[in-house]
Amino acid sequence: MVARKPRIVIIGAGMAGLTAANRLVQAASNECFDLVVVEASNRIGGRIFTSEFGGDRIELGATWIHGIGGSPVYKIAERIGSLESEKPWERMDGFPEDPIVKAEGGLTVDSSIVQSISRLYKTLMDVAQAKPLPDTLETQIARDAVELAPRNEDGKLSIGAFVRQGLESFWGDQENDPEPAYLSNGNAFTAKQKLLEEGVFSIHESTERTYTSADSLLDLDFEAEKEYREFPGEQITIAKGYSTVLKSLASVLPAGTIQFGKKVEKIEWTDAGETYSETPVHLHFEDGSVMDADHVILTVSLGVLKAGTGQGSIKGKPQALFHPPLPSCKVNAISKLGFGVVNKLFLEIDPLDADCLYPFLNFIFSEFGNSKKSEETKHKVPWWMRKTISLCPIYRESHVLLAWFAGEEALELERLSEEEIIKGVSDTLASFGLRAGANVTDGKENRERQVAGNAEKINGVFRHVLRSRWGFDPLFRGSYSYVAVGSSGQDIDRLAEPLPKRATSQQNHCTIFIPPLQLLFAGEATHRTHYSTTHGAHFSGLREANRLLQHYGWTNLEQL
């Protein structure tokens, strides 16, 4: 009698799922197991989604390789030749530097204020991440802020409370400094200057929201920041698109391995005291079909897990995904960890002439000046634009502009019509005095740039709009994870633990065998030091594939 091969089902054809599948196929013979990857959508990639807009290659999902030193994503992209392209691509010239910072009403903020506050914020975050720092005034302010910042009723400190305490301490130091670092109209410290400093600081806070997906920095746990790790080296985008990395991973899979349009509605697994037939796991799909498995690697997002365990933060009908329910320790981990929404907005703009360049703008939404124009326009800026801190071309010569949204503003962006978006962005630009023929400058003649636009009919400036919609998509329910106040890296580890936790149970004085490794968990939210990243998802896929390879002894562990 021929022994039955174990069946492995991977749920999700994103980075974690395809990495796991790739690893299993590469490391073991196809004769060892049956492998299926089920994907609810009609494409591979998950939260990686390369597209085109306005003649340029763009990313609707994951965009950056966060440090090329040691990144597995960089190694794959380099190996398959995806780092060069003749077609223009998003951020092909790197991250834009030296933005022009404009305050509502049209005031251009002095670069000395921008540099001073930017240096302070960077130092605060370096201290939060426990990086070695020289002894400077900013370093001392940051270290003191750890002790001075208010904590919640459980004694937990948030990133938001910490950085705001740093700013308050910085202001206190300025007011008492007989020789301030810079002056404003001959005055050491003025109310106007304080507002400008707070505005620049808010730019960094809002940027942090897009980095982390948190709706508020008050939601981010301070202690967990020390565990987060970054790769060294340059941060780059992938010339031929992030999706090429996924296509490369999928290319080694036998034909038919990936089944599209297979949305899982229920996962039945075998816990202590339950009986099972030939296989311990049964997957029920939306189309009514059922698939049996010995092992299931779940790579769905934390947002889907929250919804599947009744913990969803985005409105929708709760789903009981697991039968029996997951253990309380895992449900608690899923509940406590944070999962937010980040969306990108692309706008194709009609320039006044072929040589027109759009600047890299940062916005401070505090009204300055008493001009009639600013009074007329400031009330027109919609609330969902007021934490959107930048608008810039996706590379210097591009006529496609990009803005990032996080939290509630990102969700609102998904609800709006294209016309409402164009009007909201146009009104926002108008409130900053950006009109046709206006020169936006940072005060240096050699860096003057022309703004594309039309003073009388600014709606006509934008041709098309394209945005991501990760929040309300039931296959994702958000963008990526963060460690929320009240959770910790231990919750990430608990989320990553396979089920069942025990191999046997005692019933009626008998030892009952429980099939091991029925449910394995992968995805960016399951990696303790690289959560929220594609390389974190990659590492987690390798981890769970290697767990199964080790369990069956299918490969030499020294080669893992």
Side-chain angles (χ1 to χ4, degrees):
M1 180 177 179
V2 179
R4 182 181 63 84
K5 293 187 294 184
R7 167 170 277 192
I8 302 170
V9 178
I10 299 174
I11 300 178
M15 177 63 83
L18 291 180
T19 298
N22 179 284
R23 174 63 179 150
L24 288 168
V25 169
Q26 297 272 51
S29 167
N30 290 339
E31 301 303 317
C32 294
F33 54 83
D34 288 326
L35 176 66
V36 180
V37 179
V38 292
E39 167 57 46
S41 72
N42 61 359
R43 64 175 181 86
I44 65 171
R47 285 166 278 172
I48 293 173
F49 192 1
T50 302
S51 186
E52 292 189 6
F53 183 67
D56 295 331
R57 182 174 291 125
I58 63 166
E59 303 288 355
L60 287 169
T63 304
W64 294 91
I65 294 178
H66 294 288
I68 63 176
S71 168
V73 177
Y74 175 75
K75 292 177 182 178
I76 297 172
E78 184 180 42
R79 175 174 55 80
I80 64 178
S82 285
L83 298 179
E84 296 181 359
S85 174
E86 294 182 359
K87 184 179 184 65
W89 73 93
E90 183 179 346
R91 293 275 59 91
M92 58 187 290
D93 49 2
F95 192 82
E97 297 179 349
D98 300 326
I100 299 172
V101 181
K102 301 285 287 185
E104 200 169 356
L107 177 70
T108 299
V109 182
D110 188 89
S111 61
S112 62
I113 295 178
V114 176
Q115 292 166 7
S116 177
I117 296 300
S118 298
R119 184 168 58 247
L120 170 65
Y121 189 88
K122 182 180 185 304
T123 303
L124 287 165
M125 292 307 300
D126 284 348
V127 166
Q129 294 166 4
K131 294 180 179 179
L133 293 171
D135 289 328
T136 64
L137 173 62
E138 288 86 1
T139 301
Q140 189 57 53
I141 287 173
R143 289 171 178 162
D144 290 344
V146 178
E147 304 300 325
L148 296 173
R151 285 161 166 74
N152 68 10
E153 57 186 15
D154 296 321
K156 302 294 185 180
L157 177 61
S158 70
I159 287 293
F162 164 69
V163 296
R164 274 287 154 169
Q165 179 61 54
L167 180 60
E168 292 290 340
S169 298
F170 176 79
W171 283 335
D173 182 81
Q174 269 193 311
E175 291 170 345
N176 297 323
D177 191 352
E179 296 182 3
Y182 53 84
L183 302 177
S184 177
N185 297 324
N187 298 319
F189 195 68
T190 66
K192 178 180 177 181
Q193 180 175 301
K194 188 173 182 178
L195 284 173
L196 289 173
E197 289 179 344
E198 182 171 18
V200 174
F201 200 82
S202 296
I203 288 175
H204 290 286
E205 289 176 310
S206 293
T207 301
E208 198 74 37
R209 293 172 68 232
T210 65
Y211 289 166
T212 62
S213 85
D215 186 43
S216 167
L217 299 193
L218 295 174
D219 298 332
L220 288 175
D221 185 76
F222 177 83
E223 290 300 324
E225 196 70 23
K226 297 182 178 65
E227 291 191 328
Y228 188 82
R229 294 292 179 265
E230 297 177 340
F231 286 123
E234 186 181 4
Q235 299 200 28
I236 64 172
T237 54
I238 300 177
K240 290 180 180 173
Y242 234 113
S243 293
T244 60
V245 173
L246 278 298
K247 291 176 182 177
S248 174
L249 291 170
S251 65
V252 305
L253 304 182
T257 299
I258 304 175
Q259 298 184 16
F260 295 101
K262 303 292 289 185
K263 184 179 180 182
V264 177
E265 286 198 330
K266 183 169 68 172
I267 301 173
E268 290 183 325
W269 60 291
T270 303
D271 200 2
E274 298 186 1
T275 60
Y276 65 98
S277 53
E278 193 173 8
T279 55
V281 186
H282 309 286
L283 303 178
H284 298 256
F285 296 95
E286 189 178 57
D287 60 11
S289 63
V290 179
M291 185 179 294
D292 297 336
D294 295 282
H295 311 283
V296 174
I297 302 178
L298 290 96
T299 71
V300 298
S301 74
L302 180 59
V304 171
L305 289 177
K306 284 179 177 288
T309 55
Q311 307 293 331
S313 59
I314 297 175
K315 293 180 179 179
K317 184 179 179 180
Q319 300 175 356
L321 182 61
F322 299 94
H323 299 265
L326 298 179
S328 59
C329 61
K330 191 174 286 286
V331 173
N332 289 338
I334 291 170
S335 176
K336 290 194 293 184
L337 289 169
F339 192 73
V341 185
V342 175
N343 278 318
K344 299 169 73 175
L345 171 64
F346 297 92
L347 303 107
E348 186 179 6
I349 193 168
D350 264 329
L352 292 177
D353 57 70
D355 296 326
C356 186
L357 298 178
Y358 203 90
F360 174 25
L361 293 171
N362 276 175
F363 301 131
I364 294 177
F365 289 97
S366 298
E367 201 275 324
F368 291 90
N370 296 312
S371 68
K372 180 179 179 181
K373 176 176 63 178
S374 63
E375 286 295 322
E376 291 174 347
T377 60
K378 68 179 182 179
H379 69 281
K380 295 182 180 179
V381 178
W383 69 268
W384 50 269
M385 280 294 298
R386 287 194 165 273
K387 289 185 181 178
T388 302
I389 47 80
S390 68
L391 186 67
C392 67
I394 62 171
Y395 57 88
R396 180 171 172 77
E397 291 81 17
S398 178
H399 294 150
V400 174
L401 308 184
L402 170 63
W404 292 75
F405 295 77
E408 287 298 323
E409 292 81 7
L411 289 173
E412 182 66 13
L413 184 71
E414 298 187 31
R415 299 185 184 101
L416 298 170
S417 68
E418 182 169 328
E419 291 74 18
E420 289 172 321
I421 291 173
I422 288 176
K423 184 178 187 306
V425 174
S426 300
D427 288 345
T428 300
L429 290 174
S431 77
F432 285 84
L434 304 180
R435 296 291 192 175
N439 289 326
V440 179
T441 176
D442 59 2
K444 298 179 182 179
E445 292 183 2
N446 63 335
R447 295 178 53 202
E448 192 173 84
R449 298 161 176 150
Q450 188 79 16
V451 176
N454 185 295
E456 299 303 322
K457 193 175 181 181
I458 199 166
N459 281 7
V461 171
F462 299 108
R463 287 181 186 166
H464 304 292
V465 166
L466 179 65
R467 62 208 141 151
S468 57
R469 299 176 186 239
W470 299 110
F472 289 112
D473 189 325
L475 302 185
F476 305 102
R477 298 179 178 271
S479 302
Y480 35 89
S481 64
Y482 61 91
V483 181
V485 174
S487 63
S488 69
Q490 290 182 340
D491 290 308
I492 297 177
D493 289 342
R494 293 187 186 103
L495 175 58
E497 289 178 353
L499 292 174
K501 299 182 70 172
R502 296 179 298 165
T504 61
S505 68
Q506 295 294 324
Q507 292 185 19
N508 299 322
H509 307 289
C510 296
T511 299
I512 306 298
F513 173 74
I514 306 173
L517 302 180
Q518 296 175 40
L519 304 181
L520 301 94
F521 295 81
E524 53 83 15
T526 70
H527 198 288
R528 184 160 179 165
T529 58
H530 292 292
Y531 54 87
S532 80
T533 66
T534 54
H535 56 262
H538 181 88
F539 287 142
S540 74
L542 287 178
R543 181 192 66 220
E544 299 311 313
N546 288 342
R547 197 190 301 273
L548 288 175
L549 291 170
Q550 180 180 2
H551 174 69
Y552 284 104
W554 283 332
T555 188
N556 188 339
L557 290 181
E558 293 181 358
Q559 299 175 355
L560 295 183

